[in-house]
Amino acid sequence: MSLNLFSPAKLGSINLSNRIVMAPLTRNRAGEAGVPQSINVTYYEQRATAGLIITEATPISEMAHGYPLLPGIYTDAQVAGWKKITDAVHAKGGKIVIQLWHVGRISHPSLLPNNALPVAPSAIKPAGQAFTYQGLVDYVEPRALDASELPEIVADYVHATKCALAAGFDGVEIHAANGYLLDQFLRDDSNKRTDNYGGSYENRARFLMEVTEAVVAVAGADKVGARLSPVNPFNDMKDSNPQALFNYVTEALSRFNLAYLHVVEGGIHGGGESEPFDFSAMRKLFKGGYIANLAYDKARGNTAIASGHADAIAYGVPFIANPDLVERYSVDAPLNEADSSSFYGGSEKGYTDYPFLGA
Ligand code: PHB
């Protein structure tokens, strides 16, 4: 019998009871000082039947923030808050990794310590507006990082990884997608550097490789995944040759023997038509697990797994509205509709009150 969404899997050292992964989802409902609170415990616990939960993108430092009410993973109080979540998920037999995030230029001084300018590979203002506590505000021109500052950011990833392990996570996912800091280094529309971190594919990938090497040294490669989004235009991103760049990045990441590569196979947030791209080339170049993401449904997920395109499928919006998505898929039950007005911020409404089957 061929594999499908309900087949167990192993990604690095992480044993999944099925291949239905909960995608990282920004929900803006953390407590004070970025400490996860009890509604966050309930939310993740409700979704523990996923083969693997990837948490919402989580800032690794004060400078990594870019939206209101994000949980962090760099203080003792945050570790204690997350520990309640990992304990609750594990008690239900689930697995959970945390997505490590630095937003780079997708931020605003009002969200940063001492009204600091956001940082980026190059001083290029992205088109669009930041979500701040004061509402939507135009992005500002970020400050280009000096190469001498990069080791401090690598150290922040290391510290956050140690915090994640202390909080009981099964692993960490390095967020190098969707136009945030590491992706800003990768793609040449946001990286115009003339030093060792800009220009060639090798140079643009250097910072991601340094981060990966440092995170792997702390967590072990079999507990580390990475997320890429080669053609996602979200956050004003583009690259002159995404296939060549991301084939290079995939091969370079593959050498670390990571648990998995997680690929956003197109444009998010209604990013619409993205340019043609051969994702199967990345799948073939990567020797660890491959998690595919982007508007998959049950049928397409099963096909991708049966054909060998992916080892697991990450579902986003369906998991917002269906805490028991795995059961619903297994019995072909109808899905709850997601209410997009409660995606970002708010209370239990649209967060922990979606009904389970039979409720
Ligand atoms: C978002 O908040 O819209 C968001 C956050 C992280 C992502 C993508 C989108 O990777």
Side-chain angles (χ1 to χ4, degrees):
M1 224 183 68
S2 69
L3 297 171
N4 65 31
L5 285 169
F6 302 97
S7 312
K10 192 161 192 215
L11 298 176
S13 66
I14 312 168
N15 287 302
L16 282 61
S17 62
N18 61 67
R19 294 165 187 250
I20 301 170
V21 171
M22 179 174 163
L25 296 159
T26 296
R27 304 305 307 274
N28 311 85
R29 283 167 170 88
E32 238 174 274
V35 177
Q37 52 183 343
S38 62
I39 56 167
N40 311 131
V41 179
T42 304
Y43 166 76
Y44 283 112
E45 181 178 31
Q46 287 176 337
R47 288 155 180 78
T49 52
L52 176 67
I53 293 172
I54 303 169
T55 70
E56 60 207 278
T58 301
I60 59 165
S61 69
E62 291 289 341
M63 277 303 291
H65 281 258
Y67 301 86
L69 298 171
L70 301 174
I73 184 70
Y74 51 89
T75 72
D76 290 345
Q78 292 163 357
V79 169
W82 280 115
K83 182 77 167 51
K84 292 182 191 150
I85 292 173
T86 64
D87 283 347
V89 169
H90 290 150
K92 291 253 154 93
K95 296 286 153 81
I96 181 166
V97 301
I98 188 166
Q99 195 192 47
L100 301 179
W101 198 21
H102 193 309
V103 299
R105 67 182 185 172
I106 301 301
S107 188
H108 187 268
S110 68
L111 294 163
L112 297 174
N114 305 314
N115 279 291
L117 277 180
V119 295
S122 301
I124 302 169
K125 179 169 103 126
Q129 295 188 304
F131 290 87
T132 73
Y133 288 96
Q134 292 78 41
L136 287 170
V137 185
D138 285 354
Y139 288 120
V140 298
E141 184 179 300
R143 180 175 72 76
L145 285 159
D146 192 84
S148 66
E149 298 175 272
L150 299 180
E152 296 163 35
I153 298 179
V154 172
D156 289 338
Y157 277 95
V158 166
H159 173 69
T161 303
K162 289 178 179 163
C163 288
L165 298 174
F169 283 101
D170 297 292
V172 300
E173 175 172 297
I174 299 169
H175 189 347
N178 299 343
Y180 298 106
L181 182 66
L182 295 172
D183 196 22
Q184 289 159 27
F185 271 85
L186 293 177
R187 293 197 254 178
D188 59 10
D189 193 59
S190 47
N191 181 347
K192 304 289 186 196
R193 298 177 73 95
T194 54
D195 63 4
N196 285 342
Y197 294 90
S200 64
Y201 302 135
E202 183 183 4
N203 280 357
R204 281 185 270 145
R206 186 178 312 281
F207 187 38
L208 171 58
M209 298 310 146
E210 290 175 352
V211 167
T212 304
E213 184 173 14
V215 167
V216 161
V218 173
D222 59 1
K223 288 193 163 125
V224 177
R227 194 178 208 216
L228 300 173
S229 60
V231 289
N232 183 8
F234 178 61
N235 285 328
D236 198 20
M237 293 297 290
K238 51 178 181 294
D239 186 79
S240 58
N241 191 345
Q243 191 82 54
L245 167 63
F246 283 93
N247 286 357
Y248 174 87
V249 171
T250 300
E251 273 194 285
L253 284 174
S254 186
R255 287 187 214 117
F256 290 102
N257 294 311
L258 301 183
Y260 68 84
L261 185 67
H262 178 186
V263 183
V264 183
E265 297 179 330
I268 65 165
H269 286 312
E273 289 296 297
S274 52
E275 58 199 290
F277 189 92
D278 179 12
F279 293 101
S280 68
M282 287 172 75
R283 194 316 184 237
K284 287 181 196 116
L285 288 168
F286 190 76
K287 56 177 175 293
Y290 183 99
I291 304 178
N293 171 245
L294 199 72
Y296 279 84
D297 58 13
K298 176 183 168 182
R300 287 184 54 237
N302 272 328
T303 302
I305 289 170
S307 72
H309 172 66
D311 296 297
I313 308 294
Y315 293 92
V317 172
F319 259 116
I320 289 180
N322 299 276
D324 54 353
L325 184 67
V326 173
E327 188 188 353
R328 286 174 192 259
Y329 275 170
S330 78
V331 300
D332 281 318
L335 302 186
N336 299 321
E337 278 295 319
D339 163 27
S340 61
S341 73
S342 51
F343 282 179
Y344 304 108
S347 60
E348 288 86 350
K349 190 177 162 305
Y351 189 56
T352 53
D353 65 351
Y354 284 103
F356 284 73
L357 261 187

